[in-house]
Amino acid sequence: MSGTSRPGWDKYFMDIALVAASRSNCSRRHVAAVLVRDRRIISTGYNGTPRGVRNCSDGGCPRCNSDTPSGHGLGDCLCCHAEENAIVQAAYHGIAVKGATLYTTFSPCLTCAKMIINAGIVEVVYYKHYTIDDVSTALLKEAGVVVRPLEDAEA
């Protein structure tokens, strides 16, 4: 193992999020989120239809299985977002997320930003910039949540 470079914490947790995204059943985009506190994973989530609902990839979400352009008809989408699922999974299992950092493969949408703020998450590290998230990023920053791309992460 000598001479092998270990990834920094940010890369490590983002790599886990990227693997978790492969579990997504959304037919449009695979997104995942990992919630971390004290360098320990406390919850994960990926996007897809709610528990007990037919998977998006099996026709469960009419919007995702249509030719609706990206960024349109979002109110008709049945899929839960990765950030939402990570927060809800923690709640489902009785795990507090206050003070946590959220690693996500795409920067959060407005609805997820509001959940992140109200859940007490203090930092968001994202891999790719979601094209319609300018308002959400501004809202997160106004609420005091640190938002940064992975490139700004510590080594």
Side-chain angles (χ1 to χ4, degrees), residues 26 55 78 83 89 98-99 107 116 137 141 150:
C26 182
N55 285 339
L78 301 182
E83 302 92 333
Q89 274 297 94
K98 183 179 180 183
S107 52
I116 288 165
T137 299
K141 288 180 179 180
L150 183 62

Side-chain angles (χ1 to χ4, degrees), residues 21-136:
S22 69
R23 288 282 308 151
S24 169
N25 67 60
C26 182
S27 56
R28 289 199 174 213
R29 186 179 311 231
H30 292 211
V31 182
V34 174
L35 277 167
V36 174
R37 193 176 51 236
D38 299 324
R39 293 187 175 161
R40 300 280 182 223
I41 295 171
I42 58 172
S43 185
T44 64
Y46 51 85
N47 62 326
T49 52
R51 180 179 286 132
V53 174
R54 189 168 28 132
N55 285 339
C56 180
S57 54
D58 296 327
C61 179
R63 186 240 173 222
C64 288
N65 289 290
S66 72
D67 60 357
T68 303
S70 180
H72 294 84
L74 298 175
D76 298 328
C77 185
L78 301 182
C79 293
C80 298
H81 290 189
E83 302 92 333
E84 173 186 12
N85 276 333
I87 293 167
V88 169
Q89 274 297 94
Y92 185 84
H93 293 286
I95 300 167
V97 300
K98 183 179 180 183
T101 296
L102 185 134
Y103 291 85
T104 181
T105 56
F106 280 87
S107 52
C109 73
L110 182 57
T111 300
C112 288
K114 292 184 280 186
M115 280 190 270
I116 288 165
I117 292 165
N118 283 342
I121 294 166
V122 297
E123 183 175 28
V124 173
V125 181
Y126 65 90
Y127 184 69
K128 290 184 179 177
H129 179 78
Y130 186 44
T131 56
I132 60 170
D133 81 335
D134 292 335
V135 173
S136 60

